[in-house]
Amino acid sequence: MSHDLTPTLVSFQAATEGFRAGTDSPRDFLERAIDKLEAAEPTLKAFAALAIPRARIVADGASLRWKEGRPVSRIDGMPIGIKDIIETFDMPMGLGSPTASGFQPVRDAAVVHALRDSGAAIVGKTKTTEFAGSYATDTRNPHDPTRTSGGSSAGSASAVGAGILPVALGTQVIGSTLRPASFCGAFGFKPTLGAINRGGSHDFQSHSCIGVIGASLADIWFTTHEMVQRAGGDPGAMGLIGKAELAAPAKPGKLILLQTPAWDDATASAREQLLATVSTMSAAGVQILSRDNHEGVAKFETALLEVMDLALDIVGYESRWPLKSVAYRDRDGLSPSVLTRIKLSDELGLDGYRALLTRRAAMREAFETLAREADAFITLGATGAAPKGIQWTGNPMFNVPASVLGAPALSLPVYEDEGMPLGLQLMGAQHTDERLFAIANYVMAR
Amino acid sequence: MSHDLTPTLVSFQAATEGFRAGTDSPRDFLERAIDKLEAAEPTLKAFAALAIPRARIVADGASLRWKEGRPVSRIDGMPIGIKDIIETFDMPMGLGSPTASGFQPVRDAAVVHALRDSGAAIVGKTKTTEFAGSYATDTRNPHDPTRTSGGSSAGSASAVGAGILPVALGTQVIGSTLRPASFCGAFGFKPTLGAINRGGSHDFQSHSCIGVIGASLADIWFTTHEMVQRAGGDPGAMGLIGKAELAAPAKPGKLILLQTPAWDDATASAREQLLATVSTMSAAGVQILSRDNHEGVAKFETALLEVMDLALDIVGYESRWPLKSVAYRDRDGLSPSVLTRIKLSDELGLDGYRALLTRRAAMREAFETLAREADAFITLGATGAAPKGIQWTGNPMFNVPASVLGAPALSLPVYEDEGMPLGLQLMGAQHTDERLFAIANYVMAR
């Protein structure tokens, strides 16, 4: 068996015609994934646990159904990876921390159950940084194993970017889905806050959500839609709004160029590529609003100067549990970065936290007002290529706004920097997820 | 040793003077609780697991601190029970279901960690109905062991009502804290939605919250305040608003008599006692608004006709996870009532659920508008005495409004029916928890 390890995205949706025709099958698709996994995993270290025997049984059932023209869903038999902070009843839960050693959930997370119900073949748990925070895991970037895959959804981005899996689940509360997707050359989707049910996922912070990393817009949209139809959104939330079909390409009338406080931290090449896209769009008749020509954008860019501190303080306070509970039981199992975070957040206190919530609400209101003036925001997926080394998961500054604002965002693998992938990011008002896919489809078609 | 099994509420707060004076200690208080527990538990069946050796060590530390005049909190050394759908790292988690057999959490829930941090001595896990739903557990009522203790916080209400514990935690999404408190002769508190951090509690529904059952208003307020100062509210919520001290008694200017759709289901004795209280209040100068003299109240009473269906449908949809995940793995371990609930909720679908959320939001808006016209609402804690037998946990109709509305509510053990305890319930607008305690203090002083 020859193993081509060139990282090439592998779409399940592109293969479904073959499943119907009988020239390919989900089982064959899975075996190709397993071959690639076995060849690449010793280098990539993307997986925390595997469930291949069960995945093969599931793929066999789906193979029959596709051939008979009656798949249970668009993702029937699709191999998928689950970030290891999301519970599955059949694999241990590692949380990227030795303190979780031996923890075996007795249930599937809501999305995992929904995926099984959709016929998806769960291949394994993908590695995460410690409690989805900043302390890195040992996962490598498929485009250059001497570099980080980003974090915290490290294994999911690496496995999709390497062409092992068509889709893997992540989570994002700072930049944990979009940044690794950008670094690993995959598509990344961080939906509207509450759009995907987080039950059984250990990302419990108030602006966290489940993210989807995939080989194409179609792979991501169908996976998300199938999950949400079955599991709903977070309790009390409307869930992802949109039709079952992938939105057709739609040229935006107006886009807002968002430079963010990290503009000067982006590489020259990254900035040039984004500005070139903006110029092309402009030439095609898309009106571009930016801080240079629109007062509202300039004002919002200024408001964003505090977005990272706001995010870190809110997430820090909300993460004291379970981290303090873990520290009580097994302090030596926690990284110095977590112990420092606990200390700082304790000093904030409940009144300090309440003040942060008020500031976040004000920032969201300003964002939603500005968002009504255009179809979407356009920015970078990251400051540049994945950093060298695996100790630092990279600068999340371009991803924080969508997190704090509860806004949907997509990272599209269309740029490159230092010979590595780099994403173009689209972001929109809450609940405009579907329109964002339509615009992304337009961008990708060009 | 003689064991007086007469159910008498035992307050920890009333004992603290003795702790300071050295005439009593948290360790002695705990030993009295253990004596009573050992004598009563074979009949009551209130506990799912015990952690007495650890509780003794904790109480000894607290005993020293009280004597030296430096307790870490108002509840330092206080014995407490934790409903068995809330995680503790040192006891198995039963969830009232055989499907959870062998599940050992690796962390404490946020409130459990906060309690340990406050010095509280966690005595054990208290029994719950199956997944805090309607399928009963085997717990008995301390006032008459042939009767139910109510549900779902069955063991917590039984242990407090029996005088074993001064405080125990429950949860409420329909009537699971206030109803058992009413049936067992304890004080029950269901706070404003989001007021107490639910992290690590398996009550995840959108209008569920942690409730506190206790021997007095002081025991409940101090416990809640200490927990929230340390753990905060739900992520994104403000947490319980109020000072550290228990609010002084305050005579309300206006009360709204809420009869609810269950008025005709209440026993004649229950109705008479509530109306007698209302008359006394009125004679004391409190203005009483009711459906008979106020159009807004009449209109709201009519709106409440749909509150139970709304609650059951919302909770049903949101509970499909984890119940469907459990059914996938261990269907035979679920009661017929759960299996039926899953089926009905599947038929509702995501669009149906969204419509329910819209209706709930409208009901909340009407409630908050009406609530501004008075200081609080007054009603019954239950339709009457705890039913005979332990198969049925009783009618929750008087408790559902506060659940759906996200409103704070208290059940005060001041009435009786069939020689059993019965609660007077106070309810207020969101975030008026502290005012509710002030009014309750006034009611109790009379």
Side-chain angles (χ1 to χ4, degrees), chain B residues 91-174:
Chain B
M91 286 177 275
M93 175 90 147
L95 293 158
S97 169
T99 64
S101 173
F103 178 41
Q104 177 57 60
V106 290
R107 61 188 185 182
D108 283 329
V111 284
V112 172
H113 179 72
L115 286 169
R116 291 197 208 275
D117 197 45
S118 309
I122 294 165
V123 169
K125 302 294 288 288
T126 56
K127 284 194 181 163
T128 173
T129 60
E130 182 192 31
F131 291 105
S134 55
Y135 192 76
T137 180
D138 60 351
T139 303
R140 306 277 171 160
N141 193 304
H143 291 264
D144 176 355
T146 69
R147 295 179 188 247
T148 182
S149 60
S152 65
S153 309
S156 286
S158 183
V160 174
I164 296 171
L165 295 175
V167 179
L169 298 188
T171 62
Q172 176 162 322
V173 71
I174 299 279

Side-chain angles (χ1 to χ4, degrees), chain A residues 26-331:
Chain A
R27 175 61 191 264
D28 290 341
F29 190 98
L30 174 66
E31 292 302 327
R32 296 195 294 276
I34 295 169
D35 281 353
K36 194 132 189 183
L37 187 158
E38 287 176 349
E41 179 61 10
T43 303
L44 293 184
K45 300 181 173 66
F47 289 88
L50 292 169
I52 289 175
R54 190 184 291 266
R56 284 184 162 131
I57 292 170
V58 170
D60 279 343
S63 297
L64 261 175
R65 290 189 293 268
W66 277 103
K67 206 169 165 183
E68 293 172 357
R70 50 176 188 89
V72 298
S73 80
R74 304 292 293 251
I75 60 171
D76 198 7
M78 182 186 76
I80 188 165
I82 309 294
K83 183 176 182 180
D84 200 18
I85 69 163
I86 300 173
E87 299 183 8
T88 65
F89 81 83
D90 59 344
M91 286 178 274
M93 174 91 146
L95 293 160
S97 169
T99 64
S101 172
F103 178 41
Q104 177 58 59
V106 290
R107 60 188 186 184
D108 283 330
V111 284
V112 171
H113 179 73
L115 287 169
R116 292 197 207 275
D117 197 44
S118 309
I122 294 165
V123 169
K125 300 296 287 287
T126 56
K127 284 194 181 165
T128 173
T129 60
E130 181 193 32
F131 291 105
S134 54
Y135 192 77
T137 180
D138 59 352
T139 302
R140 307 276 172 161
N141 193 304
H143 290 264
D144 177 355
T146 70
R147 294 180 190 246
T148 181
S149 60
S152 63
S153 309
S156 286
S158 183
V160 173
I164 296 171
L165 295 176
V167 179
L169 298 190
T171 62
Q172 175 162 323
V173 70
I174 299 279
S176 283
T177 292
L178 297 177
R179 179 162 97 276
S182 177
F183 287 168
C184 293
F187 291 79
F189 176 39
K190 200 283 306 173
T192 293
L193 183 59
I196 305 177
N197 192 331
R198 288 183 291 164
S201 172
H202 290 219
D203 69 314
F204 46 83
Q205 298 92 346
S206 61
H207 64 242
S208 174
C209 54
I210 288 183
V212 185
I213 297 172
S216 75
L217 291 170
D219 284 276
I220 289 179
W221 183 260
F222 292 137
T223 302
T224 308
H225 194 268
E226 297 288 356
M227 288 193 298
V228 174
Q229 283 303 306
R230 287 166 173 81
D234 284 338
M238 302 295 267
L240 180 80
I241 292 171
K243 291 178 289 296
E245 293 306 305
L246 178 66
K251 181 176 152 185
K254 288 186 193 174
L255 287 178
I256 294 171
L257 169 63
L258 198 68
Q259 288 167 283
T260 86
W263 187 246
D264 293 337
D265 299 326
T267 66
S269 158
R271 282 178 278 159
E272 281 160 19
Q273 291 174 85
L274 178 64
L275 293 177
T277 301
V278 166
S279 292
T280 312
M281 293 273 198
S282 180
V286 179
Q287 192 183 338
I288 306 291
L289 312 184
S290 75
R291 64 183 179 194
D292 298 328
N293 67 12
H294 190 280
E295 197 181 339
V297 176
K299 207 171 156 191
F300 186 67
E301 292 272 15
T302 303
L304 281 183
L305 288 171
E306 68 163 5
V307 71
M308 179 64 97
D309 284 346
L310 194 55
L312 291 176
D313 288 348
I314 288 174
V315 170
Y317 184 84
E318 292 173 349
S319 303
R320 294 181 315 147
W321 181 84
L323 296 178
K324 288 180 74 170
S325 153
V326 174
Y328 174 90
R329 182 177 61 82
D330 186 5
R331 196 175 180 85

Side-chain angles (χ1 to χ4, degrees), chain B residues 210-257:
Chain B
I210 289 184
V212 185
I213 296 172
S216 74
L217 291 170
D219 285 275
I220 289 179
W221 183 259
F222 291 137
T223 301
T224 308
H225 195 268
E226 296 289 355
M227 289 192 299
V228 174
Q229 284 303 306
R230 286 165 174 81
D234 283 338
M238 302 296 267
L240 180 80
I241 293 171
K243 292 179 289 296
E245 294 305 307
L246 178 66
K251 181 175 150 185
K254 287 186 195 175
L255 287 178
I256 294 171
L257 169 64

